[in-house]
Structures are given as C-alpha cells and as structure tokens.
Amino acid sequence: MTPVLEGLGALMDWSILLYMLVGLLLGFLVGAFPGITATMAVALAAGFTMTLEPVQGLAVLLTIYVAANFGDRVPAILVNTPGTPASIATTLDGYPMAKQGRAGLALTISAIVSAIGILASVVLFALVAVPVASFARDYFKSPELFALVVFGLAVMIGISSKSMLKGILAAAIGLAIGTVGTYSATGDQRFSFGILELMEGFNFIAVIIGLFGIAELFDQLLTYHQTKTRPISSLGRWWPNRSELKQTKRALAVSGGVGLGVGLIPAAGGDIAGLIGWQQARRVSKTPEQFGKGSIEGITASDTASSATLGGSLTTTMALGIPGDSVMAVMIGSMIIWGIAPGPSLFSNHPDLVASIAGIMVIATLLSLGLSLVRMRGMVKLLDVPRPYLWSGILIFCIIGTYATSNSLSTVIQMLVFGVIGLVFKRLSIPAGPVVLGLLLGPLAEENLARTLALLPTKPFFEVVSPIAIVLLALAVISIVMPAVRNARKPRGKRGSLADTILADDLVAEVEDSHAALQLLPDPTDDDASSPKKNPTTKENRS
C-alpha cells in the first residue's frame, strides 16, 4: 500500500470522524463568539489531545482550525463584529447585506466561497508542499534554516504591531523565554535558578494558553460592558440565484489568487489576505462603488482570500517547519510533543501522515460547509449567550487542559503567570504573536547559528553561507524596514500596522460613512422581511 493510501485509510476509523465532529462543534462555537480566537481554541484543545494518537489529535486541531474559519463569519455579518481577526474584511459588506435583509444570502455565499478557498488551498498544499520540502531538504542547511527563522520572525514583527519597536521587543522576549532550560548543544542549565520545573524550559502549551486564552479572558473581564447591539434575527432568503452566483466569479478568481499567495508568506494571516483580496477585487470590479455597501462581490472577495490562506500556512508549516500563523505555531508544538518534527524530514519519515493531514482538511471543510448551510436559528441565539457563563467555562477548561499536559500544578501556575503577562502586553499593545514564534523557533535558530559559527573558521564565508541565506536575511531586513518607513511617513495619529494601512484613508472613510448610514436603518424583522414596503430585496426598494 502506498503512503498516500495508507494515510487516507487511517481516516476510515470511526474514532477519527468522532474527533472531527468534536472539533467541528468547538470550531463553530469559537468562531461565533467574538474575541475567542482559533489560536486560543486550538491551544486549549491541544492540552486534551496529548494522550491521543497523532492522527486523532490532528483531526481535532485541524477541524477546529477549519470550522472557526466558517463560524467567525456569523458575528461579522449579523453583529458587525469579527469572530476572529480573519473575518475583519467580512464586516465591510456582510453587515450591510444583513441590514438590507439579506443576512441569509450573505451567510450562504460566505460559506460557499470559504469552502472553495480552503479546498483550493489544500490542492496548493498537495502540489507545492512536496517540492518545497525536497528543495529545503537538499539546499537548507544550518545557515539557511537560521535565516529562514529570522525571516519568519521579521515578517511577524512587521505585520503584528503598530509600533515596530514593540514588535521587536515581543520577539526578543520570546527568544529569551526560549533560552530557559537545558541547552541542547552542551547540556548546561540556563536561567532555571535551580527550579526543577524549569529544567526542561517553560511548558509550551501553558505559555500559549496563558498568552492567548487567559489574557483574553482577563481582558474581557476588565473591559466588558453590556451592549445594546442585538444580532440581526431576520435571515431572509438563503440561496443565491444564478445572477448572484455569476457576480462572484471575478472576485472569486482574483481574491483566491491573493489568498493562496499570502498564505505562503510565513506569519501572514487571513486578516491581511482578506483586506488585500477585497481591495484587489474592488479594483477589477465593474461596480466598485458598491463595495462596502452590501456587495456580493465584496463578501466573496474577503472570505475567499482569508480562507485560501489555510493551505499556504499549512505548506510552510509542514514543509519548512516555520509556522504560517499562530495556530500553526500551536500545531507545531503539539506535533513535537507527539514526537513528530514538522519540516522537510516529515515528508520522508511520515508521508502517510501528510496524506492524512490533507484528507482531514478536505473532510473538515465539507463538514463545515454542510453545517453552515443548515438554516439554524441557533446561530443567532448563540450570540445571546451571557458572557459570564462563557468566561467561567473557558477558565475551567483552560485549567484542566493545561494540567493534563503534565499532571503538575506548576504548569497551571505557569499558565496563570503568562496570562497576567499577556494582559500587560495587551495594555501596552505588545503583540503576542512574535513572543510565541520566538519561544518556538528560538531554540531552532540558536542551534543552527551555533553550527554555522562553528563552521565559519574552517571554511570560506561564501562556502558556508549560501546566496539563499543571504536573500532570506535581506528579506528579513526589508520586512522590518519597509513597514517602519511607511509608518514614519504618516502623521503620528494615523500610524498603524500593515493590516491597518492596506486600505487607503479615503476608502476607509467611505466605508465608515456607508456603515454609519446603515446604522440608522431599523433592524429587519421576520414581519418586515415579508413586507414589500420595508424589505430592501423587493422590486420597489431595490433602487
């Protein structure tokens, strides 16, 4: 039996489907609650999957990753609040469609194009991952791997913070945390201060849950206020007609290409791709003036682009061992705990597992699409769940999940400490992404840098350091310098991260004005939806 058939055959076990259904429900719940990110959910679930077989654990984590990409569209469309950062661009046209009585149509189109984007990205993973891994295995030695880690950190720094200095500080903190424990090259203890629990370094799962889960929980507890904004309850017509489907073609092609390209860039996520895809689709559209006002092309572009990054992120993670986003960083940590090292060797040592990963992504996408197309009133009711109940449940599962990774109370203490640190980071606007990448990739960078420095005295410089390493280091510098220069040229009050500056100021103002006008409209109700006088989708009001 070939490795591909063996890997796909492993998915025929009934337990895999059961674990995927668990991941499906968790992913949708995570996406539907604003402020609870996929990274937080995957990190929390990772604590419970450590005792599972790798395929079973990946079935849970990857399905959460995919399902959250569908669930986060619900609050973005119905409440104008992104469920996760990846659905930021969805609010540009999704919420205006909902205010016009077309919420069901927006949800359906969003689900369909999201599925197309993810499936296209899985095809990209299947086609590109093996050649990339083979190239890396043949040409990436210690200098190139060190340069690749530096490049990944630089990209994350460049796009994750409004202040470049804060991004660099976050990466430095992550690298410093990664030095705690036993140094693999010499076996010496560093910064453990004689504490037995720190001999092996900080628990990765505890750090992740603390920075992304507990910190978010503490932040919501301190800043929560009762809002009067209610989700739009009238979903209206669900299925698009032939004319509406035809409108999606151009935006689907353009934004799909954007998402596939952005996904291959380490640390670039769906929020970046969604905004770029929306902007590019607007440029080629025949009706660009409709974007931001409830355009079918607009919601198609944003959701296709953000969803199409998943396969690219998976490619860089599995083929190079460099996480494509923060969720993939957690995935790498989980795989290392299972004794599996992502990177070029994965494709030669565990080719069946790679096939299983691709199969899980496809099945999870189809399951998520099916659940998204069910006309569930529960999707709206879900947004009314009182936050205190949600917070208490999250805290309990965070504690249990963290304790399960080591059966040690010290791990829970580490989680709570990093939760407080994460809260301080939030208050100071220091991004958590570079901290996680620094912690995860720091030891890898240090080990390869040590090997490179050991070789330099014995061989000519350019025989040790290849052009590939030089190019990656140059790109790393550019990744930091260009956003810094761009921010420096803006007025201080308008400086921001790349995600904030993708859209032109006049375009942002235009979208904000159209959304402000929509706020004055009454929320459509079931009675209003059946009334030709108030339903914007009827012939009298379409003009």
Side-chain angles (χ1 to χ4, degrees):
M1 183 181 291
T2 65
V4 173
L5 293 178
E6 185 178 347
L8 296 179
L11 303 182
M12 297 297 104
D13 191 329
W14 66 269
S15 65
I16 300 298
L17 179 59
L18 178 62
Y19 288 123
M20 292 187 70
L21 290 176
V22 172
L24 181 69
L25 295 177
L26 289 176
F28 261 88
L29 289 173
V30 166
F33 289 113
I36 306 199
T37 65
T39 305
M40 173 182 173
V42 172
L44 177 57
F48 293 93
T49 59
M50 294 299 98
T51 57
L52 300 178
E53 294 295 322
V55 176
Q56 295 174 335
L58 287 171
V60 177
L61 302 183
L62 288 173
T63 305
I64 291 175
Y65 185 39
V66 172
N69 197 75
F70 284 81
D72 64 356
R73 280 30 176 176
V74 176
I77 292 171
L78 300 182
V79 194
N80 198 28
T81 303
T84 68
S87 62
I88 289 174
T90 307
T91 62
L92 298 178
D93 286 285
Y95 185 66
M97 288 183 67
K99 289 289 288 186
Q100 296 162 7
R102 299 186 294 164
L105 182 62
L107 290 169
T108 300
I109 291 177
S110 173
I112 293 173
V113 300
S114 294
I116 293 173
I118 297 176
L119 292 176
S121 72
V122 175
V123 173
L124 177 72
F125 171 70
L127 295 176
V128 174
V130 173
V132 170
S134 299
F135 178 82
R137 185 172 56 248
D138 295 338
Y139 295 99
F140 276 49
K141 308 304 179 184
S142 293
E144 291 77 19
L145 289 174
F146 170 74
L148 184 62
V149 171
V150 173
F151 173 63
L153 282 171
V155 173
M156 176 62 86
I157 291 170
I159 68 176
S160 61
S161 177
K162 295 181 178 182
S163 168
M164 192 61 60
L165 291 177
K166 291 181 180 179
I168 295 173
L169 175 62
I173 292 173
L175 292 172
I177 294 173
T179 63
V180 176
T182 304
Y183 181 36
S184 58
T186 63
D188 295 332
Q189 290 293 322
R190 301 184 301 182
F191 308 112
S192 57
F193 305 106
I195 302 174
L196 183 62
E197 288 77 8
L198 295 181
M199 294 296 183
E200 297 299 325
F202 288 104
N203 184 286
F204 180 75
I205 299 299
V207 175
I208 288 288
I209 294 179
L211 290 178
F212 287 100
I214 299 298
E216 181 64 36
L217 179 63
F218 287 167
D219 184 62
Q220 291 193 24
L221 283 170
L222 294 175
T223 61
Y224 176 73
H225 59 278
Q226 191 70 31
T227 176
K228 296 182 179 180
T229 303
R230 307 291 296 173
I232 294 175
S233 58
S234 176
L235 303 183
R237 177 168 57 92
W238 276 74
W239 294 105
N241 55 40
R242 183 175 300 180
S243 174
E244 290 164 338
L245 288 175
K246 188 176 180 180
Q247 294 179 42
T248 66
K249 291 183 178 179
R250 189 190 300 265
L252 190 67
V254 172
S255 59
V258 169
L260 294 176
V262 172
L264 290 171
I265 302 174
D271 51 344
I272 302 294
L275 291 170
I276 295 177
W278 186 87
Q279 185 180 45
Q280 294 303 317
R282 185 177 184 273
R283 288 181 177 177
V284 301
S285 173
K286 295 180 180 179
T287 57
E289 69 281 355
Q290 295 299 320
F291 277 61
K293 302 176 182 178
S295 168
I296 291 178
E297 289 182 274
I299 195 170
T300 298
S302 60
D303 289 352
T304 304
S306 61
S307 300
T309 61
L310 270 64
S313 177
L314 194 65
T315 300
T316 58
T317 301
M318 299 302 167
L320 299 176
I322 302 298
D325 54 29
S326 55
V327 175
M328 285 293 113
V330 180
M331 205 76 67
I332 287 180
S334 299
M335 293 179 72
I336 291 174
I337 294 175
W338 285 320
I340 301 171
S345 61
L346 177 66
F347 290 78
S348 56
N349 297 337
H350 304 280
D352 55 325
L353 185 62
V354 177
S356 296
I357 289 172
I360 290 170
M361 291 288 288
V362 172
I363 297 173
T365 301
L366 296 178
L367 289 175
S368 299
L369 175 61
L371 184 58
S372 298
L373 295 180
V374 175
R375 304 186 183 189
M376 296 183 302
R377 293 290 176 180
M379 288 191 301
V380 181
K381 299 296 183 182
L382 200 62
L383 299 175
D384 288 328
V385 174
R387 289 300 178 90
Y389 295 128
L390 184 63
W391 294 331
S392 58
I394 291 174
L395 181 59
I396 291 172
F397 279 107
C398 283
I399 294 174
I400 296 175
T402 304
Y403 182 81
T405 62
S406 63
N407 294 324
S408 172
L409 187 61
S410 65
T411 308
V412 177
I413 295 174
Q414 288 182 32
M415 176 199 70
L416 296 174
V417 169
F418 277 99
V420 175
I421 293 174
L423 178 62
V424 174
F425 283 178
K426 279 181 170 291
R427 291 292 184 265
L428 298 177
S429 299
I430 297 175
V435 177
V436 174
L437 281 188
L439 169 63
L440 181 64
L441 301 180
L444 176 64
E446 185 180 28
E447 182 179 346
N448 285 286
L449 178 60
R451 291 175 182 172
T452 303
L453 294 177
L455 290 173
L456 282 176
T458 63
K459 296 181 179 179
F461 179 82
F462 288 105
E463 187 176 335
V464 176
V465 182
S466 70
I468 296 176
I470 296 175
V471 169
L472 286 173
L473 291 174
L475 290 175
V477 174
I478 293 173
S479 300
I480 292 179
V481 171
M482 290 302 293
V485 172
R486 187 184 297 112
N487 283 346
R489 296 176 61 183
K490 284 180 169 286
R492 182 174 295 274
K494 294 185 178 181
R495 294 179 186 178
S497 64
L498 176 60
D500 297 329
T501 57
I502 286 175
L503 303 181
D505 291 342
D506 56 345
L507 181 57
V508 172
E510 180 183 338
V511 172
E512 289 177 348
D513 289 343
S514 63
H515 282 208
L518 284 169
Q519 293 288 354
L520 301 178
L521 297 177
D523 289 343
T525 63
D526 291 333
D527 294 336
D528 292 335
S530 62
S531 172
K533 293 183 179 181
K534 295 184 180 181
N535 186 6
T537 61
T538 57
K539 292 183 180 180
E540 290 88 353
N541 292 277
R542 279 179 184 167
S543 59

